[in-house]
Amino acid sequence: MSSVMKVDSITKSDGTAGVHIEGHVINVTTASYNTGASYSANTSYVNTATLGTVTTKLANSKIMIVTDVPIQTQKQNTIWSVALRSSIDSYASNLVIKHFVRYSTNDHTTGFTGMTYLHDANQSAGTSITYRYYVKANNSSGGGWYCIDQWGVSNASGYAFTTNMLEIAQ
């Protein structure tokens, strides 16, 4: 036996529209990144990549950022930090910092191939939030970095990395 339920609208007990279940994804935004660029060494954070923008559907939701945009160092014996920042505070503070290294001894290399982070955005519905990478060298011997390295790619069309921003109801 099958049943069909048809409704014109669902209203919460407080009279507001819609029912959103806590912990469920309510909005998915995907942004492509395919801009190759190189940067000179710097021990201060440098705006390196704009990953994408999401516009919230609900107030006080969280945003799960999942990106595969990589960073590649130009020199060995370097330690790097990649910070994720948002437009909420005009990119003033780091949401999360990931470190990676490239040493010439014993082939010690930790490549940076993206990150995942759950941002407790706590904003009103309709707020647009843009996310960016900020990168810096943690030692003075470091060379610059690439985001993304397109050397040797004969057909750059279709060469893209992605950032998915999943809004989660709270």
Side-chain angles (χ1 to χ4, degrees):
M1 180 173 132
S2 66
S3 299
V4 175
M5 181 172 80
K6 296 181 181 182
V7 294
D8 292 324
S9 66
I10 297 175
T11 305
K12 293 170 57 176
S13 60
D14 64 3
T16 59
V19 175
H20 301 286
I21 302 169
E22 184 176 327
H24 283 77
V25 174
I26 53 146
N27 177 21
V28 176
T29 303
T30 300
S32 293
Y33 185 88
N34 62 0
T35 304
S38 63
Y39 298 86
S40 298
N42 200 319
T43 55
S44 297
Y45 280 107
V46 175
N47 178 4
T48 301
T50 299
L51 302 174
T53 301
V54 61
T55 301
T56 59
K57 302 286 185 197
L58 290 179
N60 305 316
S61 56
K62 293 184 179 183
I63 310 295
M64 172 72 75
I65 298 104
V66 181
T67 183
D68 65 353
V69 176
I71 302 290
Q72 177 184 345
T73 62
Q74 295 175 337
K75 191 173 179 181
Q76 291 184 350
N77 299 320
T78 57
I79 303 168
W80 299 92
S81 295
V82 178
L84 181 67
R85 296 183 181 182
S86 80
S87 58
I88 291 173
D89 67 353
S90 300
Y91 310 102
S93 59
N94 299 328
L95 298 172
V96 64
I97 303 169
K98 302 289 184 174
H99 303 287
F100 63 108
V101 299
R102 184 173 182 201
Y103 292 127
S104 60
T105 58
N106 300 329
D107 295 323
H108 291 178
T109 301
T110 304
F112 184 82
T113 58
M115 70 170 63
T116 300
Y117 179 72
L118 182 60
H119 182 204
D120 191 357
N122 199 28
Q123 298 295 303
S124 59
T127 301
S128 292
I129 306 168
T130 300
Y131 293 95
R132 291 180 180 170
Y133 277 161
Y134 279 73
V135 180
K136 75 172 185 171
N138 289 313
N139 57 354
S140 59
S141 66
W145 59 88
Y146 296 104
C147 180
I148 48 185
D149 185 0
Q150 293 179 326
W151 290 81
V153 178
S154 59
N155 182 5
S157 65
Y159 186 80
F161 294 89
T162 56
T163 298
N164 294 303
M165 294 156 283
L166 293 76
E167 183 177 5
I168 302 169
Q170 295 305 298

